[in-house]
Amino acid sequence: MELPRQVLNILNKLNENGREAYVVGGCVRDFLLGKKPKDYDIATSALPLEVKRLFSKTVDTGIKHGTVTVLTQGVAIEVTTYRIDGKYTDNRRPETVEFTASLKEDLLRRDFTVNAIAYHPELGFVDYFEGMSDLKQKIIRGVGNPAKRFDEDALRMLRALRFAAVLRFEIENETKKAIFQKAELIKNISAERIRDELLKIITSGFPEILNLLAGSALLFYPMPKLHNYLENNLEEIRKALSKCQGELAHCLAAFFIKSDAKTAQTFMLELRMDKKTVNEVATLLKWVNEPAAEDMYQTRKMLSKIGHDALRSVYILKEKLSGVSLAENFKMLNTVLENNECCLLKDLAVSGNDIMEVSHLKGKQLGEALEKLLDCVHKNPAENTKEILLRKVCNEGGFMLD
Ligand code: ATP
Ligand code: MG
């Protein structure tokens, strides 16, 4: 396994100081699957304070749990002391953690066999739980007794579904049985942790996993309404999602395709999603079933209502879901942009003040006049000059527009 020089430097320094150090978890798994690892996590027998002493730039990421982030040559790498998780009392986190000098103990606390392989550049792979064999067979299997492991941290059940979806693996039978048996425990998990896994499931491009998500009732206990929505619309949601891999807002819009924008918004806020994404998805849901703009006038009108980025995104989503090309509609959208045509009130060649100078309009009537002028400009962008627009205002005694 080829490691970036920054990772090698950290491993070497720890080794030179008499400590063990391995890369572990996702990066080893991804490498063995022939994928480029996203990031590298290091596990070491060195205690957190030693790690801090050995490296000049560090951040105390989760020092109580043994994690120190080492900043070196432009990258940040998490170095975590081997640990044994203490007693779990609330199905989500150990009351205490105990540091250990044993790599095996550290690998034993990890969730799935495929995530419990370690690698050292000179010593090679360490694989106590047949993770490599499970990788070959494409199996997600809990380390140890899966039911007990889900008692400890109930989020692991949703993580099993996430890895199965992202990697296109099967969940091993005992592990799957334990999920059905222990699903209720997930009610003890925070919305944020559930969100992180759920979003990875939704964007995985493997909507088949939703059968298991609904069937196991994993969502029922923390969010019964969301579970019911999923269960009642399973087929349609799967179908929509199968057309939207990767892009978060589009995947979410597909997931909520059978819901109105408002209800979807409530679900997403309950999942503690950020407002920007929530609003983006709500806009997609509001517009995706509306017909696309058929001419330049309608295009400008729609642009004035939802803005350029959102309209483009709506069109892309419509294309994905319907399979019908919107090339003509995109062309019109591009033309409006290329010509820099006025679509918004703020782009109008006259302001409210300009109108007040030549008329008696104010308040609501002034607003209506501006809207009418904008509509004229949507019909004919060439009319967006101060002279033409003010002439329209002054027609018919200074109050009326044509
Ligand atoms: P990704 O590529 O999505 O980051 P990952 O395997 O790196 O996947 P992380 O959530 O970053 O997943 O966790 C890193 C490692 O820590 C995992 O590979 C696993 O060994 C261990 N781990 C993470 N969460 C848990 C958990 N809830 N219970 C047990 N071990 C866990
Ligand atoms: Mg990771």
Side-chain angles (χ1 to χ4, degrees), residues 24-30 37-39 41 78 83 85 88 92 106-117 143 149 152-157 159 162-163 166-167 193 197 200:
V24 284
C27 65
V28 182
R29 177 197 69 223
D30 288 347
K38 283 197 291 274
D39 48 22
D41 291 322
E78 287 195 355
R83 64 174 214 233
D85 291 336
Y88 286 79
R92 59 185 161 191
D106 183 76
L107 295 177
L108 203 53
R109 72 161 173 95
R110 292 176 184 269
D111 47 7
F112 305 109
T113 60
V114 295
N115 288 343
I117 309 170
V143 172
R149 304 308 309 283
E152 292 171 357
D153 179 359
L155 185 75
R156 290 172 186 155
M157 296 185 275
R159 283 173 64 84
R162 186 255 280 199
F163 286 114
V166 171
L167 304 174
R193 292 180 83 203
E197 299 302 328
K200 286 178 185 169

Side-chain angles (χ1 to χ4, degrees), residues 162-388:
R162 186 255 280 199
F163 286 114
V166 171
L167 304 174
R168 313 288 199 265
F169 279 23
E170 285 289 325
I171 300 176
E172 173 271 334
N173 261 337
E174 288 303 309
T175 307
K176 197 189 275 184
K177 250 199 260 167
I179 293 176
F180 278 81
Q181 193 191 334
K182 298 285 180 181
E184 186 174 354
L185 297 180
I186 204 146
K187 66 177 189 289
N188 299 318
I189 299 297
S190 72
E192 288 83 354
R193 292 180 83 203
I194 292 176
R195 170 201 63 205
D196 289 348
E197 299 302 328
L198 194 60
L199 293 186
K200 286 178 185 169
I201 288 173
I202 289 175
T203 52
S204 68
F206 189 71
E208 290 79 355
I209 200 71
L210 296 185
N211 290 356
L212 189 53
L213 186 62
S216 63
L218 270 175
L219 281 184
F220 175 77
Y221 298 100
M223 296 179 72
K225 284 189 181 150
L226 183 58
H227 168 84
N228 290 340
Y229 162 74
L230 175 65
E231 197 171 44
N232 294 335
N233 301 285
L234 194 52
E235 276 311 304
E236 287 105 323
I237 297 173
R238 275 183 43 180
K239 201 165 145 216
L241 257 185
S242 70
K243 298 170 183 166
C244 299
Q245 190 173 349
E247 225 271 307
L248 178 63
H250 284 182
C251 288
L252 280 164
F255 186 80
F256 288 115
I257 198 71
K258 298 302 288 179
S259 151
D260 60 88
K262 244 210 144 85
T263 312
Q265 242 167 338
T266 312
F267 284 138
M268 288 186 282
L269 290 174
E270 209 181 323
L271 280 164
R272 305 275 191 280
M273 289 184 44
D274 67 276
K275 290 229 168 70
K276 183 169 170 282
T277 308
V278 173
N279 292 337
E280 210 178 319
V281 177
T283 305
L284 286 169
L285 287 170
K286 257 184 228 152
W287 290 87
V288 73
N289 292 320
E290 298 289 325
E294 277 171 15
D295 53 31
M296 294 297 285
Y297 169 61
Q298 284 183 11
T299 303
R300 294 180 198 111
K301 262 228 135 20
M302 272 176 95
L303 276 171
S304 75
K305 286 185 187 146
I306 70 170
H308 168 249
D309 290 345
L311 185 56
R312 188 171 294 273
S313 186
V314 167
Y315 281 0
I316 296 172
L317 181 61
K318 276 173 94 66
E319 271 193 337
K320 284 185 193 165
L321 293 179
S322 68
V324 177
S325 164
L326 292 181
E328 286 306 311
N329 311 78
F330 276 114
K331 217 185 272 172
M332 290 190 278
L333 183 55
N334 291 336
T335 307
V336 173
L337 277 183
E338 279 156 23
N339 297 344
N340 210 1
E341 288 171 4
C342 159
C343 293
L344 306 175
L345 272 181
K346 74 172 178 55
D347 303 323
L348 216 50
V350 293
S351 66
N353 282 337
D354 295 332
I355 295 179
M356 283 196 288
E357 274 175 25
V358 299
S359 73
H360 301 114
L361 294 175
K362 55 180 186 250
K364 192 167 164 238
Q365 285 175 322
L366 180 61
E368 282 168 6
L370 282 165
E371 286 297 341
K372 280 188 184 167
L373 290 177
L374 185 62
D375 191 56
C376 294
V377 170
H378 285 159
K379 283 187 186 126
N380 183 3
E383 292 193 340
N384 193 27
T385 71
K386 200 164 181 174
E387 199 195 333
I388 297 177

Side-chain angles (χ1 to χ4, degrees), residues 114-129:
V114 295
N115 288 343
I117 309 170
Y119 173 78
H120 184 279
E122 277 138 40
L123 305 170
F125 292 96
V126 178
D127 178 23
Y128 292 113
F129 313 108

